[in-house]
Amino acid sequence: MNADYILLFFLTGILMVAGGMIMAYMISPKSENKQKRETYESGIPTIGKTWVQFKVGYYLFAILFLIFDVETVFIFPWAVAMKKVGMTAFVEILIFFVILGIGLLYAWKKNALEWE
Amino acid sequence: MEQIITYILLALMLIFSVMTVTSGRILRSAVYLLTVLVATAAIYFIMQYQFLAAVQITLYAGGIVVLIIFSILLTHHIEHRMENPVFWKAMISALAALGAVAMIAWVLKDAQSIQNVAGFIPPKMEDIGMALLSYGKQGYVLPFEVISVLLLAAMIGAIAVAKPALLQFKNKNFKQDDQ
C-alpha cells in the first residue's frame, strides 16, 4: 500500500521535472548568443570564480538549525498523542520547551543570532 | 508491486552510494548522499515505519546534509577535484568494505524479516508518542526530558566553540583588508 504512494511520488517528481524541461524545449523560442550564457543575463558581469569560500557565520546557524530540527522530531509524536494523554503531556512538553528556551536565550545573549 | 519498487529503490541507493564515494567533486558527493538518504526514507515508508521515515527526512536529508553542504562551502578549495587513489590504497579500502559486508551478513544470517513474525503490527506514531509521554512502566518521559538537556548542552557547546573562532576569523579578515 505504501509502496504505491512511493511510486506515485516518484513518477510525479519525474513528470514535474521532465515535463517542465520538455515543455520548455518544445515551446520556447530559440536564440543563442554569448550574453545568454551569462549567470545573470543583462545583469552585472560576474567577477572572479564562482567557487568562493563562504562565511563561517553560516555554520553556527546550520548547527542551531540542526538542534531545533532534532527538537521538532520529538514534537511530532507528542502532537499525535497529546489529546489522549491530556494535561500531563502539556506540562511535559512545557518543561521540554523551557529547557530549550534557555538555550535560545543563551544564543541570543551571546549574540550568536547576530549577523556580523 | 511492492517488491519491484523496493528493488528499484535499493538499486538507486546502491548506484548513488557508489557515486558518492567515487565522485571527484565533493559538493556533488553531498548531493548524491542526499539521494541515498531520501531513498532510505522511502524504504522505511514501504516497511510502514512512518515515524522513522519522517525522522530520516527531517534529520538526515534535512539537517545533516545541510550541515555537510555548509562545511563543504566553508572549505578553501571547493572546486578542487579529488584525484583517483593509488592502487594499493583502493585495494585496502575494498578489503575493509568487504570485511564490513561479511560482518553484516554474519549478523543477519539468522535474523528473519520482522514482517514475517506472526502478529507484527508496525508501530504507529501515536504509540510512540504515548510511550514518550507516559511515566508509568515502559514510559520514556525521563529520557524525553533529558534529551532537551542534551540539546541545550549541544547548543551551548556549539556557540562556545564557534563564537571565538568566528571572532578570530573576522579579525583575520580585517587585517587582510588593511594590508
Side-chain angles (χ1 to χ4, degrees), chain A residues 4 14 25 33 48 73 83 98 100 106:
Chain A
D4 295 346
I14 289 174
Y25 180 76
N33 57 50
V73 162
K83 227 173 185 174
V98 164
L100 275 162
Y106 179 83

Side-chain angles (χ1 to χ4, degrees), chain A residues 2-3 7 49 51 53-55 62-64 66-67 69 73-74 77 84 88 92 96 99 103 107 111 116, chain B residues 1-2 5 45 50 58 63 70 73-74 76 79 126 129 133 135 141 144-145 147-148 152 155 158-159 163:
Chain A
N2 271 346
L7 187 69
K49 279 186 296 183
W51 292 114
Q53 192 185 359
F54 275 53
K55 270 189 72 167
I63 287 180
L64 288 178
L66 189 65
I67 288 164
D69 211 29
V73 162
F74 287 100
K84 230 182 196 173
T88 332
E92 279 164 8
F96 190 77
I99 294 173
N111 289 329
E116 46 201 340
Chain B
M1 189 68 183
E2 207 175 280
I5 295 167
F45 263 120
Q50 271 90 351
T58 42
F70 270 131
L73 292 178
L74 291 175
H76 277 287
E79 81 277 17
E126 197 179 339
L133 295 174
Y135 43 80
V141 73
F144 176 61
E145 302 294 356
I147 281 163
S148 69
L152 176 71
M155 207 182 317
I159 293 164
K163 203 64 192 168

Side-chain angles (χ1 to χ4, degrees), chain B residues 22-42:
Chain B
T22 53
S23 166
R25 296 172 194 272
I26 191 163
L27 199 59
R28 282 188 193 172
S29 285
V31 177
Y32 296 145
L33 180 68
L34 177 67
T35 318
V36 176
L37 294 171
V38 172
T40 317

Side-chain angles (χ1 to χ4, degrees), chain B residues 95-114:
Chain B
L95 219 65
L98 274 177
V101 168
M103 198 172 76
I104 292 166
W106 186 67
V107 170
L108 286 181
K109 76 179 185 335
D110 297 327
Q112 59 170 329
S113 169
I114 197 164

